[in-house]
Structure formats: structure tokens, C-alpha cells
Amino acid sequence: MSLRFAFLILATPAVWAQTAPPPRVGVGVIQRPLSLEEAVELALKNNLELEIERTGTAAASQSLQAARGAFDPIFRWQPSVETRNLPVASVLQGPGGKLTENLLAQNFSLLQKLPKYGASFQAGFDNGRQTTTNTFSSLNPVLTSRVVLSFTQPLWRDRAIDRERAALRISRKQIDISETDFELRAIDVVARVEQAYWDLAAARQGVDVAAEGVRWAREQLALTQRMIDSGSLAPVELAASEAELQRRIDTWYSSLGLLTEVENHLKTLLAPDRQDPLWNDEIIPSAARTGEIPATELRAAVAGALAR
């Protein structure tokens, strides 16, 4: 009778399986201890969602810089050189029947749009020099110059707001919105990292508990076998012990699968891409969670949340 039951036990591979966990898919042999502070730091550095928000904030800053360009002063220098050869009917107007005129101009201008009330200011300095072959010209060369100062102030249209000031105001609001979005995203990512970190710690503890249950089930199966061999227990009880061992082994494997899922979720928050070496490591949470309740009064916490 004892040889029969010994053969039944040897025919069940899971009964004699090792308590060491089987290799998990996608997880290497390198164990990486990770504290909560290190996990949060990695998330703030590498998380793709935060990188997208940083890009949005940088784009809003560039839009503001472009909107401010409408109020940059504009300086212009317009030099010109011109030679004219005109046929004339009389040699008195030009020797050889040709009138030659040379013109040289140097014009400068400055345009400044003011940031208030839609006003603008413009200053210009125009000067030119003209020479001619006309013998009846009393001045040769002729020099001309003028200074132009102008100030434009709209009385009704565009006085309260115009396109440039509206674009500047909108760009400033977009920066505030993008910074707020980045802060909210950072808070959300940190909260999810903390949750995933403690989920991983709980999943690892669950695997340890399930492995301990398998060990106790094996000991119970061995005890049942000894009692059957001694005649103090009916042989039918062996099937119940084997079934309980198989159930606990299934629970152990299920907890290992859950551990892998939770660990991968944490890695998606910490690693920038799938090529990062972190994906091949086994993360070991090194922080110990305490049961202390934070000393925060509810109304003060709500007031702080509304203020931020």
C-alpha cells in the first residue's frame, strides 16, 4: 500500500517542484533596489507625458517671444544710386543732345510701435545728391535733405486692443496654462508612481505569501502521506492534500503574473522607452511603508488645493 501511494506522489510533478519562483518573461536576473525617492526622480526625468508638457511650455514661450516681436523697433536704411541719360532736342539743354543726371540717396527711418493704446512713432531722415549736365542749372550738385517725425494715435479703432496686443495677451495666458498643465501632470505622474511603487511592494509580498502557502501545502501533503503509511488516516485524504497543493501553486503562479504586470506598469512611468536598461532589471522596492496618518487638517488641505 505504501509503495502505491509513493508512486502516486512521484507521478505528480508539481508536488516536488522547487519553491524558487520560475523565470518571468522579460525580466532578467539583475535585481535593482529602488527607493521611492529614486522612482519619483526617474519619473520626473524620463516620463514621456512630462516631456510632452515640457515641449508645450517651450512652444508657448516661443509664441510669446514671437508676439513681442511686433513691438520691436524697425530700423531701415535705403541707399540708392541712379544715372539717367535723356535725349534732348537742343544742345543748350545738354551737350551732344544728351542730358545726364546722377542721383545718390541715403534714407534712414525708425519705426516703433508702442505697447499701449495702439500708438506708434516714426522718425525718418531723407537726403539726396543730384548732379546734371544741364548748363542752365544754377546749382550743381543739388543737395536735399529732410527730417520727418510722426506720431500716430488711434482715437477709436484699435485703441483699447489691437491684433498685436491681443496676440501678446493670449500668448501670456498660454504660458500660464501650459505651466499649470505641466504642474498638474507632474503631480499626477508622481501620484501614479507612488501608487505603482506600493502596488509593486504589495505584489512582491503577495508572491512571498503564496510561495509560503505552497511550502505549507507540501509539508501538509508529506504529513498526510506519513499518516496514511502509519494507518492513522484514510488513503482518500491524499487526493484532498494534492488538490490543495495544486490550488496553492496556481495561486502562486497567478501572483507571479500579477507581479510582472505591476512591475511593467511602474517601468512605463520610469523609463523613457523600451530600449532603456531598466526594462531588463527586476525592481526591488527598498522603501518601507508605515501606517502613520499624515497630520493634515481637512479644511487646510482643501484650502491649499483650491489656492494652487
Side-chain angles (χ1 to χ4, degrees):
M1 181 67 69
S2 60
L3 293 176
R4 175 185 173 186
F5 289 121
F7 175 76
L8 291 175
I9 295 175
L10 291 174
T12 309
V15 173
W16 299 100
Q18 299 296 325
T19 56
R24 292 186 288 145
V25 177
V27 180
V29 297
I30 299 177
Q31 294 184 346
R32 179 171 181 174
L34 188 68
S35 65
L36 180 59
E37 291 75 12
E38 292 174 344
V40 171
E41 182 179 357
L42 285 175
L44 295 178
K45 179 181 178 181
N46 300 325
N47 188 265
L48 294 179
E49 298 178 13
L50 292 178
E51 189 64 27
I52 292 174
E53 295 297 335
R54 290 190 185 97
T55 303
T57 303
S61 300
Q62 293 296 327
S63 298
L64 177 61
Q65 191 70 18
R68 287 174 175 170
F71 300 93
D72 292 341
I74 300 175
F75 177 77
R76 291 177 180 175
W77 172 44
Q78 295 176 322
S80 64
V81 178
E82 182 180 356
T83 300
R84 300 174 184 173
N85 293 314
L86 303 176
V88 293
S90 175
V91 294
L92 297 178
Q93 296 178 351
K98 181 178 69 173
L99 176 63
T100 301
E101 294 180 341
N102 295 316
L103 296 93
L104 175 63
Q106 298 280 351
N107 299 329
F108 303 89
S109 65
L110 176 65
L111 176 63
Q112 174 68 63
K113 187 173 180 63
L114 302 181
K116 293 184 178 180
Y117 309 117
S120 61
F121 171 78
Q122 183 174 4
F125 176 62
D126 300 338
N127 61 90
R129 181 178 186 273
Q130 180 179 359
T131 61
T132 180
T133 58
N134 191 341
T135 56
F136 290 95
S137 178
S138 58
L139 294 177
N140 191 20
V142 178
L143 300 177
T144 59
S145 61
R146 66 172 183 170
V147 176
V148 179
L149 299 175
S150 65
F151 178 80
T152 304
Q153 172 62 62
L155 298 179
W156 187 259
R157 183 180 180 180
D158 294 339
R159 182 173 182 178
I161 191 70
D162 55 12
R163 181 181 61 183
E164 290 79 8
R165 284 181 290 167
L168 183 60
R169 186 177 300 178
I170 292 173
S171 299
R172 288 172 178 169
K173 290 294 183 181
Q174 287 176 345
I175 285 185
D176 296 338
I177 293 173
S178 62
E179 291 177 350
T180 303
D181 289 341
F182 176 78
E183 183 177 359
L184 292 176
R185 182 65 65 182
I187 293 173
D188 177 66
V189 169
V190 169
R192 284 189 289 158
V193 167
E194 291 182 356
Q195 183 65 44
Y197 184 88
W198 296 122
D199 288 344
L200 178 60
R204 294 189 63 86
Q205 293 178 2
V207 170
D208 295 340
V209 171
E212 185 70 13
V214 172
R215 187 178 68 83
W216 283 107
R218 286 183 178 139
E219 293 184 2
Q220 180 63 37
L221 179 60
L223 178 61
T224 302
Q225 181 62 54
R226 289 194 298 269
M227 295 178 66
I228 291 175
D229 293 340
S230 64
S232 60
L233 192 65
V236 72
E237 297 296 334
L238 183 63
S241 297
E242 291 177 347
E244 179 64 21
L245 176 60
Q246 292 295 335
R247 186 187 67 81
R248 296 196 178 189
I249 290 177
D250 291 341
T251 303
W252 185 35
Y253 286 167
S254 298
S255 62
L256 286 172
L258 178 62
L259 173 62
T260 302
E261 293 179 4
V262 173
E263 190 175 43
N264 289 340
H265 176 62
L266 179 60
K267 289 178 179 179
T268 58
L269 297 173
L270 303 183
D273 50 44
R274 291 300 301 269
Q275 284 71 37
D276 191 85
L278 180 65
W279 276 98
N280 299 324
D281 298 342
E282 181 182 3
I283 298 179
I284 308 297
S286 60
R289 191 166 193 175
T290 62
E292 299 179 358
I293 300 177
T296 304
E297 201 270 335
L298 177 60
R299 293 185 177 180
V302 172
L306 294 177
R308 293 179 62 83

